[in-house]
Every structure is written in structure tokens, then in C-alpha cells.
Amino acid sequence: MLVPELRKRVYDANMELPEHGLVKFTWGNVSAIDREQGYIAIKPSGVDYDKLSPENMVVTDLDGTIVEGDLNPSSDLPTHVELYKAWPEIGGIVHTHSTEGVAWAQAGRDIPCYGTTHADTFYGPIPCARALTAEEINGEYEKETGKVIIEEFAKRSLEPLAVSGVTVRNHGPFSWGKDEKSAVYNAVVLEEAARMARYTESINPQVEEVPQALKDKHYLRKHGKNAYYGQKGDSH
Amino acid sequence: MLVPELRKRVYDANMELPEHGLVKFTWGNVSAIDREQGYIAIKPSGVDYDKLSPENMVVTDLDGTIVEGDLNPSSDLPTHVELYKAWPEIGGIVHTHSTEGVAWAQAGRDIPCYGTTHADTFYGPIPCARALTAEEINGEYEKETGKVIIEEFAKRSLEPLAVSGVTVRNHGPFSWGKDEKSAVYNAVVLEEAARMARYTESINPQVEEVPQALKDKHYLRKHGKNAYYGQKGDSH
Amino acid sequence: MLVPELRKRVYDANMELPEHGLVKFTWGNVSAIDREQGYIAIKPSGVDYDKLSPENMVVTDLDGTIVEGDLNPSSDLPTHVELYKAWPEIGGIVHTHSTEGVAWAQAGRDIPCYGTTHADTFYGPIPCARALTAEEINGEYEKETGKVIIEEFAKRSLEPLAVSGVTVRNHGPFSWGKDEKSAVYNAVVLEEAARMARYTESINPQVEEVPQALKDKHYLRKHGKNAYYGQKGDSH
Amino acid sequence: MLVPELRKRVYDANMELPEHGLVKFTWGNVSAIDREQGYIAIKPSGVDYDKLSPENMVVTDLDGTIVEGDLNPSSDLPTHVELYKAWPEIGGIVHTHSTEGVAWAQAGRDIPCYGTTHADTFYGPIPCARALTAEEINGEYEKETGKVIIEEFAKRSLEPLAVSGVTVRNHGPFSWGKDEKSAVYNAVVLEEAARMARYTESINPQVEEVPQALKDKHYLRKHGKNAYYGQKGDSH
């Protein structure tokens, strides 16, 4: 069996989604990429979490063509493939329909950076990418979803490892990271930052984003060469 | 004992309601129909979930007359019977007082289709059926509830398997499906879509429903002959 | 030991409060009265739920004087005593600081009857009793709290077994029933009705209470000589 | 190993945070001080809760210099040190990113005292300390955070044991107490009072704080020489 270690990592990461309360039924998927060997592993489509195993993860090449596995891959695979192609620095991707992330996607608004909980992980607001056009929806829908995300990041000149998440308008959140573990972490933080932002606006409708100095401080406290949070060698 | 397999399926489906957080105390019921043999099985009225068993499900004929069982059937049985009579394509029905569904029922508003989570399961807004008149309330109340639901779907020309749920004004949600398992699935999605819609409006009071192209795409991605979500042969 | 059966019932009812998510720490208490023998049993004050036992319930006479027990009774005992004296038809009382009930108490508003979930248990809105005066607060505070509740019910001509709960302004919910088990049931419904009402107003700020016919129907469906909900002989 | 009993108490208190739902991942820390021996024990930085033990708590002197422990202390240690230096009456400190507390911090508002649940523990509103300046953020950030809290309490003439919590604007809640156990208790109450206040304002946007007489009554019922809540000798 190909890439057993990658399968195991992707399986473990998928199993974290229900533990963190991010999915109902089969509404979520995690993938990871092994760029050296040229493989992506992803959750099969529509299979219950308690039926998942490292063995039934689907393995594809970098174009999303199945190379090993009897089950259909997650229908969102073409979105993952687009992101892996566009952003060589990322190693794992998560998509969920988590409640708070979906609410901001449906509302069509960026998740504003109102505090350090958000700023520790996301360097600025989490963008809401534009809605797909009818043409994109009726074309290669999942692939176009990936392209819309990439377009949004290009338009705003955002670095994928500085703002490692997005919501797609009318749909829901995607997150990513240097590996599938970081991608799951970022999915949890996106959901919590989204919840906190909703509450914050309810308490103070006139609230404004945090000052740039605070964004810089908190993001750089945890990321980059002068990071001092956690133990030496930690990923966060 | 009649229809042991139907009893077991209805028992299992009833037990799913508290697992999904849709009921408190005894506030919910699931039934299923075996149209070939001519039987309905339904939860008994007011019995705690931990006292339920396949054996104490109540079995009635297609008019709701008890044919086997010592306990009273759920007082909502006449609503179920009306729906089974009107819609031969449905095989299972769920009624709960789940918090979010009730909130929209009490608010007297359709649950708008704000995103793909909703659109994957419900083909458009989930209707809020009109309040019963005083005459209907004081007549055969539960039967009239069924008739009001059927009237609402006829008035809007909705297909019961395209929009498999409703809220009844001032009361709460009902859902259904080709079998009792789908009906429970739809009850869970109704509750989550209701929650997401409430959050969405709080974040953006001016939000509008998703475009028709997205409703078409997501519904048909999972339903009908060109469905490609999940594994071949899946019900969703 | 006096009234072992009453102690056991009161203990069981107290233990239900954390199971239903109605209390944090020691913030809640249940009592019951045995009017024939002339005893009240109540939770001791400030003792953790995992340290409670039937044996450490405090037993008092009908004036609230301790007749058996080494621990202090709940500081809310004088409120319970006032209600038992005023309303001979009640047999159990619950007080909690449950989140939703407290929110309506703090907001100083009755919990409106927006639907059948509420109407099945409470025959109309759940009143918010007036705030205590500075004099009442600085006098026999807990006793005055009971008197304010009784005053509110007298002023509105409410029957304690038709509307078996209240919130006291700036404080929180009290509920009662023919026994301590019904009182706990009513505490759970009060909390859920309060939550649903909050959500309902957020979805539709112009919502109005349900028509009187629906209040009558649902309350009388479960209570009184023509009740048909549940099995024969059920308390609800 | 130094101060084994202090390590154990601090470990236990840290473990209470996830049990009370106040932290995700490693986002929280508790410390306690032994003023006689001159030591502070605090959680290590960025270590998962299931990897914590009394042995890996970090022990420092009163200036925050590590005297025993291989791991980095929580990066918030300098905030704790400032508070211990300024307020000799406190013995334990908690910092979390609990959802409701953060929401009020992000909204930049004091948590108003709307009821007795709040008033039993906090003698008046829970202050929101001002945002740090860019200079403070770019200087000794965590130390400046402590100084801003102290400044806020001095400006308002608040006693740290009467109002044992604060939120720091754009950041989140801190609480403290005579020991680490009280500090955790206060963190739980702060979160619940914050949630109740948010709900209260949603139900009644014009709500006002409780009268002074009620604040006095409830706070003094549980604190000071005339306290009568709980059993004799209780801490609350």
C-alpha cells in the first residue's frame, strides 16, 4: 500500500474534526500532500467517521487522479488540488461546514480581527471570497472554488501561511497549513474567532479592528524567527 | 408480533433523536410506514427514551387505528397519518421540538436558504406553515396540523422529497423522507440550517438568499440521476 | 433518621439539576414538603453536588426551623417556606441560576408564550416578579423574595399549578409543582422556553404571543380531566 | 524538588480550566504564589493539558526568574508577576481566552452587574482595562499588560479581592483570588456573568445595572465577617 504514513496522518487529522465539534455526519474533509513522492491522500466521500481507517483514505497524484483506493475521494478534491498547485508552501488542507464559519460565509463578510485570540493565528481578517458566478457553478464547480480562493488571496496580496484560512461566500470555511495538523488547528481557531467576532459585534456594534501594532506583535510572537511562545521547536 | 423489522427500524430512529440533541424528555417522535403490509409503527406517547424498545412501539393500520400495542401512540399520530396519505412517496416522519426549528416556527418565518449546507438537503427555503385557526385547534387538532402542512406544500407547489421539512407556526418542525432514516437526517439538517440562518442574519441583517444556480447545483449534486456525491448507491 | 423517603426524593431531585445543565457549582436547590408529617427537606448550603447524599439533606419544620441535620440549609430556605405556606397545593420547589432564566430575570421581562413548547407546561407567560426594595433587601431578604413572588401571583390572579414558575427581577428563576419531580421538570421547561423566546425575538423582533385558543388547547391537552397526552395515570 | 505541594495545587487548578470549558488547546494558565518561601509556580508554555503534571510546572522566584524546571513558563508570567507584586493580598491568578470574556474584552466594555449571579462574586462591574499603546505592545508586552490592569484598578479605586477579575481590551480575561482555587472559581463566574450579560442586553437593550443595595447585600452575604452563605469556614 502506498504512503502508509501519509494515510495515517490524514486519517488522524480527519478524526480530529468531530472531536473538535467541527462536523456533523460526513461534512468535512482533510487532505495532505507528499510533494516529494507526488501523492495526495484525502478522505473518501460520504463515508461515516466511524467507518474511516488509514486504509480507506484515497490516494491520488498531484492532478487528483486516483492512484490507489476503491472509494470515491471527497467531492471537494479538485478544490484541494488547485490550492496545492498554487501554493507550494502548504502541506495540508481542511474543509468543514462548521457552524460559525458557515455563518460568516453566508453573511458574505470577512471575519474581522477583534483580538489576540484571532491575531495569534491569523495575520489580519479572514477573507470571505466572492460568490461563484452561475457559469463557474455550472462548470467545474469544485475546481472553480479553488480558483476563487486563489484569486482572492492574489487580489489582496495575502500570504497563505500568514492568513491560513478563508470562507467562500454562501458555502463555508477552508483552512490550510504547512501540514494537515496545522490545517486542523487553524480550522479550530477560525471557528472560535468567528464565534467571538459574532458575540463581540452583538455587545458593541461599533467595534473596530485591533491596531496594527497588536496584529504584528501577536502574530510574530508565535511565528517566524523571533517567536517566543511555547517550547523551542514547537509548531505553535 | 407484527412487523418486527419495522418496529426495530422505528425504535432505532427514535433513539437517534436524543443522540443528535434534538429532544428533551419525551418531546419527539418518529414513525415509519410499510405500505405493502399496510402498517405504521410509531413511538408510544410520553414514554422516556430509556424505556423504549422495539417491542413497545405502537403498530397501527393506515388510518391510525391501533392493531398491536398496549400503550397509547404518540399524540401526533394523526399528523403522521395525514402526511402518509397525502404523499405516497414518503416512508418515514419525524417531529421534534428542537430549539432552533421551534424558534423559526415561533417567529413565523420560512428558514431562508443562505448557503450550501442548507441547499445540499433542502431545495429552497424551509416553509413555515400557517397557524391553525381557533376552529382547527378546537377540532381534530393533530389531524388539522397535517392538513395545514399539506395545504402549504400544495399552495407553493413543493415536492415533499425536494423540500423534506416544514415548521408549523407557533409549534415546531416536522421532517420526512423516503424512510425513517432519511427523515431523521433531514431533522438534523433542518436544525443546523436554522441555527446557521439565525447567526447569519445576526452578522448581516441585509443578507439575501443564495442564487438559483447554487440551489440547483447543490441539490442535484446529491439527488437524482446525475448525483456524484458520496459512494455509488448511497442515500446521500 | 426522620423522613428517609422524603430525604431520598429531595436528594434525587437535587442531583437532576446538574444533569440537566441548570447549575454551576452549588448554585441551585430543591426542597419538598411532607404536609402530613409536617416536614420540609432541603439541600444544605454551599455543599458540592458530589458530596450530597440523602443523609445530609436538612430537615426543618414548616416554619423553617431545623429539626434534623448538622449542616446549614440552603440560604434560600425562607423563600421556600413562604411559598409552601401561601400555596398548599404545591409539594416541591426548585431554585437555580440557570443561564436563560437569569437572563430574562435580569432583563426584567416576562417570558412570553410564543409556542406550544411553552404552552404545554406553562399556561401563559412566565412572570418576572418586581425587584425588591432597598428595605426588603436589607430586611429578611430571602423571606421577602418569597413574598414578592406571592404578591406577583396574587396581583395577576395566577394559579400556582397553572403557571408553575417565575423569575425574580435581577435574580433568577424559581419553579414548583405538586412534588419535587414536577418542580424540576418545570425548571427544565422554563429554561428551554426562555432560550426559545430569546431566539424567536432575534429572528422576528415583532413577534406576538400565541392566540388564546392555542394556550388553552395545549395546556388542557396535558392537564386536567380531559388530558389525553401520555399514558393513563402519567403526571405529564 | 521545590514546593511539591504548590506544584500540585497549581497543576490541579490548571486541569480545572478545560473541565470548566474555559480553554481550547493550551490557551490558559494558572499560577500560585508561596509568599513565605518566595516562589511562584506556573504552567509551562504551549504544553497540551494531557501532558501536564505537577512535576512540569515551572517554579520561579518573585521576579519571575526560573529556579526549577526545564520548560519555558507561560509567556504570560510577567503579567502574573506584576499583579503579585502590586497586590500582596492575592495568592493565585488565572488567564484564559474563554469565549464570553474575550467577547467583552474585544467589545471594549465593562461587564455590567445585571444580577445576583454576578453580584455574589464581583462587587460591581468587571472592568475592561484600556488597550495597550503601540509603545507598550512593542516593549515588555506581558509586563505592560500587568501594569495596565493595576493602573485600571488604581484609577477606579477598586479592591482586588472585591472585584477579582478584569478583561484587557482586545485580549481577554484575567482573574485572581486569595489562592489559585478562588482564582479558577472567579474565572468560571466571570465567563458565566459575561454570557448572562450578553443575553440580557439582547432581551432588553435598555436594561440598567442592579441597585447598589442589591450589590451590597449579595456581596456581603458571601464575603466578610457577617457572611451567612455556605457552611462555617467555607471559602465561598
Side-chain angles (χ1 to χ4, degrees), chain A residues 24-28 44-47 70-73 75-76 97-100 102-109 131-134 137-139 141-142 169-172 194 198-199 201-202, chain B residues 16 20 113-118 120-121 184-185 188-189 192-193 195-204 207-211 213-214 216-218 221-222 228-232 234 236:
Chain A
K24 286 186 185 293
F25 300 113
T26 62
W27 304 349
S45 178
V47 174
D70 300 328
L71 297 169
N72 293 336
S75 57
D76 297 301
H97 285 237
S98 59
T99 312
E100 302 283 346
V102 166
W104 285 88
Q106 293 190 159
R109 290 183 51 201
L132 274 69
T133 64
I137 289 169
N138 293 319
Y141 174 60
E142 288 82 7
R169 176 130 205 199
N170 297 328
H171 188 159
R198 180 167 66 86
Y199 292 0
E201 296 192 351
S202 142
Chain B
E16 277 192 64
H20 284 296
C113 180
Y114 287 139
T116 63
T117 316
H118 180 123
D120 272 336
T121 298
V184 171
Y185 182 89
V188 175
V189 180
E192 182 68 0
R195 180 182 292 112
M196 286 171 167
R198 179 166 67 86
Y199 292 180
T200 299
E201 296 192 350
S202 142
I203 296 167
N204 180 0
V207 66
E208 294 180 5
E209 287 222 337
V210 298
L214 196 68
D216 292 344
K217 176 70 182 183
H218 270 266
R221 191 171 80 135
K222 285 202 174 182
Y228 63 94
Y229 181 91
Q231 308 302 326
K232 280 180 210 87
D234 269 16
H236 17 258

Side-chain angles (χ1 to χ4, degrees), chain C residues 24-27 44-47 71-72 75-76 97-100 102-104 106-107 109 134 137-139 141-142 170-171 198 201, chain D residues 20 114-117 185 188-189 192 195-197 199-200 202-204 207 210-211 213-214 217-218 221-222 228-232 234:
Chain C
K24 287 185 185 295
F25 300 113
T26 63
W27 303 350
S45 178
V47 174
L71 297 168
N72 293 335
S75 58
D76 297 301
H97 284 236
S98 60
T99 313
E100 302 282 347
V102 166
W104 285 89
Q106 293 188 159
R109 290 183 51 202
I137 289 169
N138 293 320
Y141 175 60
E142 288 81 8
N170 297 328
H171 189 159
R198 180 167 66 87
E201 296 192 350
Chain D
H20 284 295
Y114 287 139
T116 62
T117 316
Y185 182 90
V188 175
V189 180
E192 182 68 0
R195 179 182 294 113
M196 287 170 166
Y199 292 0
T200 300
S202 143
I203 296 168
N204 181 359
V207 66
V210 299
L214 197 67
K217 176 69 182 184
H218 271 265
R221 190 172 81 134
K222 284 202 175 182
Y228 62 93
Y229 181 92
Q231 308 302 325
K232 280 181 211 89
D234 270 15

Side-chain angles (χ1 to χ4, degrees), chain B residues 9-36:
Chain B
R9 278 168 38 206
V10 169
Y11 165 76
D12 286 345
N14 273 289
M15 296 309 288
E16 277 192 64
L17 299 185
E19 280 168 34
H20 284 296
L22 299 180
V23 299
K24 287 185 185 294
F25 300 114
T26 63
W27 304 349
N29 47 72
V30 185
S31 73
I33 191 167
D34 182 327
R35 292 185 187 270
E36 294 200 358

Side-chain angles (χ1 to χ4, degrees), chain D residues 148-192:
Chain D
V148 161
I149 296 172
I150 295 157
E151 170 195 315
E152 195 74 40
F153 272 62
K155 199 175 64 186
R156 303 191 190 202
S157 306
L158 294 175
E159 303 221 358
L161 288 187
V163 180
S164 297
V166 73
T167 69
V168 175
R169 176 131 205 198
N170 298 327
H171 189 160
F174 290 80
S175 65
W176 48 81
K178 64 183 173 52
D179 55 26
E180 74 296 332
K181 214 174 159 64
S182 305
V184 170
Y185 182 90
N186 293 337
V188 175
V189 180
L190 183 151
E191 183 70 0
E192 182 68 0

Side-chain angles (χ1 to χ4, degrees), chain A residues 5-84:
Chain A
E5 184 258 0
L6 185 69
R7 286 171 174 281
K8 178 66 164 64
R9 279 168 37 206
V10 169
Y11 165 76
D12 286 345
N14 272 290
M15 296 309 287
E16 276 192 65
L17 299 185
E19 280 168 34
H20 285 295
L22 298 180
V23 298
K24 286 186 185 293
F25 300 113
T26 62
W27 304 349
N29 48 72
V30 185
S31 73
I33 190 166
D34 182 326
R35 292 185 187 270
E36 293 200 359
Q37 300 197 59
Y39 293 120
I40 294 168
I42 191 167
K43 181 171 156 293
S45 178
V47 174
D48 287 347
Y49 278 87
D50 59 8
K51 302 247 166 69
L52 293 184
S53 66
E55 290 70 32
N56 62 21
M57 297 293 111
V58 181
V59 176
T60 77
D61 65 19
L62 300 195
D63 291 318
T65 305
I66 302 181
V67 294
E68 197 177 55
D70 300 328
L71 297 169
N72 293 336
S74 164
S75 57
D76 297 301
L77 173 63
T79 313
H80 293 232
V81 168
E82 285 306 298
L83 300 184
Y84 285 132

Side-chain angles (χ1 to χ4, degrees), chain B residues 28-181:
Chain B
N29 47 72
V30 185
S31 73
I33 191 167
D34 182 327
R35 292 185 187 270
E36 294 200 358
Q37 301 197 58
Y39 294 120
I40 294 168
I42 191 166
K43 181 171 156 293
S45 179
V47 175
D48 288 347
Y49 279 87
D50 58 8
K51 302 245 167 71
L52 294 183
S53 67
E55 291 70 32
N56 62 21
M57 297 295 111
V58 181
V59 176
T60 77
D61 64 19
L62 301 195
D63 290 318
T65 306
I66 302 180
V67 294
E68 197 177 55
D70 300 328
L71 298 168
N72 293 334
S74 164
S75 57
D76 298 301
L77 173 63
T79 313
H80 294 230
V81 168
E82 286 305 299
L83 300 183
Y84 285 131
K85 282 184 179 170
W87 298 334
E89 62 270 51
I90 72 170
I93 298 172
V94 172
H95 173 49
T96 75
H97 284 237
S98 60
T99 313
E100 302 282 347
V102 166
W104 285 88
Q106 293 189 159
R109 290 183 52 201
D110 295 358
I111 304 171
C113 180
Y114 287 139
T116 63
T117 316
H118 180 123
D120 272 336
T121 298
F122 295 97
Y123 195 28
I126 299 168
C128 179
R130 70 166 172 81
L132 275 69
T133 63
E135 195 170 24
E136 288 165 342
I137 290 168
N138 293 320
E140 296 180 89
Y141 175 60
E142 288 81 7
K143 180 175 175 174
E144 297 292 347
T145 299
K147 289 172 78 170
V148 161
I149 295 172
I150 295 157
E151 170 195 316
E152 194 75 40
F153 272 62
K155 199 175 65 186
R156 304 191 190 202
S157 304
L158 294 176
E159 303 222 358
L161 288 187
V163 180
S164 298
V166 73
T167 69
V168 176
R169 177 131 204 196
N170 296 328
H171 189 159
F174 290 81
S175 63
W176 48 80
K178 63 182 174 50
D179 55 26
E180 76 295 333
K181 215 175 159 62

